[in-house]
Amino acid sequence: MSEEQILLAHGGGGRLSQRLIAEEILSRFGSGPLATLPDAASLQLSGRNVCFTTDGFVVQPLFFPGGCIGDLAVHGTVNDLAVSGARPRWLSLAMILEEGLPVMTLRRVLDAIRLAADHADVAVVTGDTKVVKRGQCDGIYITTSGIGAALPGFSLSIAQIQPGDKVLVSGCLGDHGAAILAAREGFPAEHSPKSDSRPLHRLVEGMAELAAGVRFMRDPTRGGLATILNEMTAGQRFGMRIRARDLPFSPAASALAEMMGLDLLHVASEGCLVLVCAASVADGILDIWHTLPEGRDAREVGIVTGEHGGRVILESAIAGERVVDVPSGELLPRIC
Amino acid sequence: MNYIEGFRDPAVAAHYRDSLARLGAELAHGGKDACFMEVCGSHTMAIARFGIRGFLPSGVRLVSGPGCPVCVTDPGYVDAAISLAEAGRIIVTFGDMMRVPGSRSTLAQARAMGYAIESVYSSATAMELARTHPDQEVVFLAVGFETTVAPVVAMLDGAIRQRIGNLSLLTAFKRVPPVLDALLVDPGIRIDGFLCPAHVSAIIGADAYRPYAATHGVACVVSGFEPLDILQGVEGLLQQRVAGRAFVDNQYNRVVRPGGNPQALGLMERYLEPVEVSWRGLGVIPASGFKLRSHLADYDACIRFGIDIPSGRPNPRCLCGEVLKGKIMPSECGLFGVACTPEKPLGPCMVSSEGSCAAEYRFASLKRRDE
């Protein structure tokens, strides 16, 4: 049997995903703005700075505690623009529908898209709809692309990160992935984590006056915080040190993670922002975030260090130390 | 959640750090060192995840044992499961088995070829699939130690009562006590104490370890999986070593009873009998597995489909066997981190999240900088 096939683990956001992208995508398209794999490309158009991004959505189940594939498709693209320091403006909406999908389901998804777009102040301005035979897709697949205008003051790049900088997160980590897992496994809804799927643009716009101190931002989706921090430190002279006791997790996600043997550092959020900033602006940013509902649980979780270059170190709950690595494939639970 | 946080209290952990340092000094003063084995993969995982090696005084080593069921499953078992999938059966498995290398491929690769292989979190899902697919044969990959054996047998009990006739088990059940026996009689292995598994012991009971303390003079502490449980467990082992004593101590007495879980043991006795099985890296060990009793032949996938589990060919350069016996640390294997990584594991210890090599690779412990 040939090994040269796509495995589910290639989509897990971990090492296999990274290798696939490096070997198959970057080797062909990596000479321009795609080279550093930003969440959104920063482009010049008639003298204006714009950001452009795209994302595909295949979540199952289509509806889950805290959201559905529709609002997720809006938030995912809005957030990729927001963490790139842009104000989201326009979205495209492409849908692949499976024959036999109840129109009522489509309406619910479209209503969620409309509501989420209104809430994030973006307009759906172009789109496409295709229908495939029963069994050739799983209900609905959605692709959204987004264009945003670069906000003045932000100049974001990993190259600006330096020892002494602070690492902030805007909310509880891993709620989205935990909610999907709980829904799939039929956990009773009242005990299940809820997805944190929500737009992050207000967190970014709110701290515009402190933008000069912001080094870099990402949203920790697939592969979770562990993957994002490793992407920031990979190949760098600086390292990072995070403290388990300061990491915000919701009680429901923590309980599920304990039960299923998950490390929430590897689990996706869809409404959380990870930011590295100069120490001088960290408290100011947290004060601003705490005034917004989506930033209520914001914390400083760690620092950039001059040692352990290229590595992320976790100070565990009991003050032990270990390296935080990226997940290696599909998230698998323990079996005993 | 306070129940969990209470077992991760950094102030209490600091107390154990001091206590272990004092005991370590006493040990050194007496001219001794200590080598303890954590038997269970969940311990290995927690030790790595919480950085517990950094708490050990010099002269005290913790080595990982054979207690990860995925790691000790023979490659031929994976081959047999894939051959059943190729014959059109629905294969149901816990996720960790998906990437275990067989002789030709993994279950994940077989699934990518289009075979029906379902990864589940509970064995009960296998019964559910059998019920909802009455025209198809469902085979559950029954891999695990006593902790897993008990719920799988309870599931089988339910299937029998509900007269579900299209479900069978491909068993690779393992028993902890016989493998500990095998380790202790190996002259190449020195173990001063066992950190005994938490949940296996909930089934078999703390008394199961008495022979190791009594006959072999090996200290035994049954310990929970939370970091403070483990620190207290190691403290207990070190106290016994310093005092030159060996007995069975039950640190996890909030869950584990001396006689275990009689209901689970009764069900296992009714449905299963001990059998000699092959452990990857360790070889054949008498009575170290379970098979279904002969009156349950219909539920035994090997008998039902007339197959044998072939003896697989592990990679000859893989030293998982030495790692599983605690003879070497994962990083002492030439393949570790180079040819063998979690995304492309050659040996089973790199596959499971609870495997010693995967834990070492992912959570590489750092030397404490203040030392």
Side-chain angles (χ1 to χ4, degrees):
Chain A
M1 190 182 294
S2 163
E3 287 184 36
E4 295 285 294
Q5 298 175 34
I6 295 298
L7 304 177
L8 276 176
H10 281 114
R15 282 178 195 282
L16 272 182
S17 305
Q18 290 171 2
R19 188 183 301 167
L20 181 76
I21 289 167
E23 290 176 2
E24 304 301 334
I25 309 289
L26 288 181
S27 63
R28 291 170 173 82
F29 308 106
S31 57
L34 193 59
T36 57
L37 293 174
D39 279 321
S42 292
L43 306 167
Q44 290 277 324
L45 194 64
S46 309
R48 298 285 300 273
N49 291 325
V50 297
C51 288
F52 180 42
T53 190
T54 189
D55 217 337
F57 297 86
V58 296
V59 65
Q60 206 29 252
L62 296 176
F63 298 88
F64 46 81
C68 74
I69 190 170
D71 37 46
L72 187 66
V74 173
H75 297 152
T77 293
V78 162
N79 292 347
D80 280 348
L81 292 171
V83 299
S84 304
R87 184 172 196 308
R89 296 288 300 275
W90 300 295
L91 289 188
S92 74
L93 173 66
M95 294 187 294
I96 297 172
L97 309 177
E98 184 185 16
E99 176 190 28
L101 179 81
V103 172
M104 198 56 220
T105 305
L106 178 64
R107 285 189 192 130
R108 285 176 66 197
V109 170
L110 289 171
D111 286 344
I113 291 174
R114 170 75 192 273
L115 205 64
D118 287 352
H119 183 55
D121 205 13
V122 290
V124 174
V125 293
T126 182
D128 181 46
T129 307
K130 298 276 194 317
V131 179
V132 297
K133 274 190 193 170
R134 193 185 285 270
Q136 293 184 346
C137 101
D138 200 355
I140 306 181
Y141 297 155
I142 298 179
T143 298
T144 53
S145 299
I147 294 178
L151 291 163
F154 285 101
S155 163
L156 305 169
S157 90
I158 290 175
Q160 300 196 55
I161 299 175
Q162 45 191 277
D165 285 354
K166 303 285 188 177
V167 181
L168 314 183
V169 302
S170 67
C172 290
L173 297 160
D175 279 342
H176 178 73
I180 296 295
L181 183 62
R184 244 178 237 166
E185 293 301 314
F187 271 59
E190 66 267 32
H191 300 303
S192 287
K194 291 205 173 22
S195 170
D196 59 346
S197 175
R198 62 190 162 193
L200 298 169
H201 64 295
R202 292 196 303 176
L203 292 173
V204 176
E205 287 162 32
M207 61 181 174
E209 63 197 74
L210 300 173
V214 178
R215 316 283 197 209
F216 194 65
M217 292 186 276
R218 291 301 288 265
D219 58 333
T221 53
R222 271 182 317 180
L225 181 71
T227 301
I228 293 300
L229 296 184
N230 271 288
E231 283 174 10
M232 291 185 195
T233 52
Q236 303 293 333
R237 294 173 68 177
F238 61 81
M240 286 184 187
R241 188 176 175 82
I242 56 174
R243 300 172 298 265
R245 66 172 185 277
D246 291 328
L247 293 171
F249 299 115
S250 70
S254 299
L256 185 88
E258 289 300 328
M259 225 180 314
M260 306 295 264
L262 295 175
D263 186 346
L264 284 176
L265 288 175
H266 290 163
V267 179
S269 301
E270 290 289 349
C272 186
L273 202 156
V274 178
L275 174 146
V276 181
C277 65
S280 57
V281 299
D283 288 343
I285 290 172
L286 287 175
D287 288 345
I288 293 164
W289 283 0
H290 286 153
T291 65
L292 296 165
E294 59 268 41
R296 198 184 52 203
D297 298 316
R299 307 255 186 96
E300 182 195 316
V301 299
I303 55 165
V304 177
T305 60
E307 45 193 7
H308 307 311
R311 291 204 287 182
V312 182
I313 306 299
L314 176 79
E315 189 182 309
S316 78
I318 58 166
E321 287 181 343
R322 67 161 163 100
V323 173
V324 176
D325 200 5
V326 297
S328 55
E330 270 180 288
L331 283 177
L332 298 169
R334 60 190 168 210
I335 69 171
C336 76
Chain B
M1 284 310 292
N2 282 339
Y3 188 72
I4 283 176
E5 282 159 17
F7 290 99
R8 298 177 184 178
D9 185 327
V12 183
H15 156 80
Y16 283 116
R17 192 192 286 276
D18 294 344
S19 169
L20 291 176
R22 270 196 306 277
L23 286 164
E26 276 188 64
L27 189 73
H29 189 251
K32 288 198 283 189
D33 60 1
C35 179
F36 302 133
M37 173 178 279
E38 89 270 2
V39 174
C40 180
S42 296
H43 275 140
T44 302
M45 180 86 171
I47 287 164
R49 180 175 167 204
F50 291 97
I52 286 175
R53 284 218 163 71
F55 285 68
L56 299 179
S58 61
V60 177
R61 283 206 310 149
L62 253 183
V63 298
S64 302
C68 159
V70 167
C71 302
V72 296
T73 297
D74 199 86
Y77 179 85
V78 175
D79 300 341
I82 291 173
S83 72
L84 286 171
E86 287 168 345
R89 326 292 181 203
I90 300 178
I91 302 297
V92 182
T93 176
F94 291 128
D96 272 21
M97 285 301 294
M98 292 299 287
R99 295 184 302 131
V100 178
S103 302
R104 292 173 298 147
S105 79
T106 65
L107 287 164
Q109 288 165 334
R111 181 171 68 182
M113 298 282 286
Y115 296 117
I117 298 171
E118 302 286 333
S119 159
V120 300
Y121 290 93
S122 161
S123 58
T125 312
M127 191 167 91
E128 213 39 55
L129 273 168
R131 203 209 321 264
T132 52
H133 296 73
D135 303 332
Q136 285 178 279
E137 288 286 342
V138 174
V139 180
F140 181 67
L141 303 190
V143 175
F145 286 97
E146 289 90 338
T147 328
T148 310
V149 174
V152 170
V153 171
M155 184 272 285
L156 181 64
D157 185 58
I160 292 169
R161 284 168 195 279
Q162 296 180 39
R163 301 179 189 283
I164 292 174
N166 58 329
L167 173 71
S168 56
L169 307 182
L170 188 66
T171 57
F173 288 137
K174 298 284 194 296
R175 301 175 63 215
V176 166
V179 75
L180 298 186
D181 279 325
L183 289 174
L184 289 177
V185 299
D186 185 331
I189 302 173
R190 181 197 134 191
I191 297 167
D192 302 313
F194 286 125
L195 192 69
C196 300
H199 293 158
V200 164
S201 305
I203 304 293
I204 68 175
D207 285 350
Y209 306 103
R210 282 174 178 266
Y212 312 116
T215 311
H216 297 281
V218 171
C220 293
V221 179
V222 177
S223 152
F225 289 135
E226 287 301 317
L228 293 187
D229 287 327
I230 295 171
L231 288 171
Q232 194 177 38
V234 173
E235 182 192 48
L237 287 172
L238 204 45
Q239 283 166 341
Q240 292 192 39
R241 176 82 178 139
V242 167
R245 300 183 59 200
F247 56 92
V248 178
D249 193 2
N250 183 6
Q251 183 277 338
Y252 198 37
N253 57 12
R254 64 185 186 276
V255 171
V256 174
R257 303 187 195 302
N261 179 332
Q263 199 185 352
L265 291 171
L267 210 51
M268 287 157 66
E269 173 67 24
R270 179 143 44 106
Y271 286 129
L272 304 172
E273 58 186 312
V275 62
E276 175 179 281
V277 293
S278 171
W279 296 56
R280 195 191 294 234
L282 300 176
V284 173
I285 301 174
S288 64
F290 281 122
K291 66 170 184 176
L292 292 171
R293 289 191 182 275
S294 52
H295 68 277
L296 297 165
D298 268 1
Y299 294 93
D300 186 326
C302 283
I303 298 173
R304 190 179 180 98
F305 304 114
I307 59 163
D308 283 323
I309 294 183
S311 187
R313 290 174 290 105
N315 186 312
R317 289 190 299 149
C318 168
L319 297 184
C320 279
E322 305 302 290
V323 173
L324 290 167
K325 292 179 198 165
K327 283 187 176 176
I328 64 168
M329 298 300 272
S331 54
E332 293 174 63
C333 171
L335 302 178
F336 178 81
V338 186
C340 183
T341 58
E343 60 274 14
K344 204 164 178 218
L346 292 179
C349 297
M350 193 59 99
V351 175
S352 166
S353 55
E354 305 194 340
S356 333
C357 297
E360 175 74 19
Y361 185 91
R362 294 200 297 139
F363 297 149
S365 50
L366 291 177
K367 259 195 120 51
R368 288 181 57 227
R369 276 173 297 117
D370 52 346
E371 282 176 355

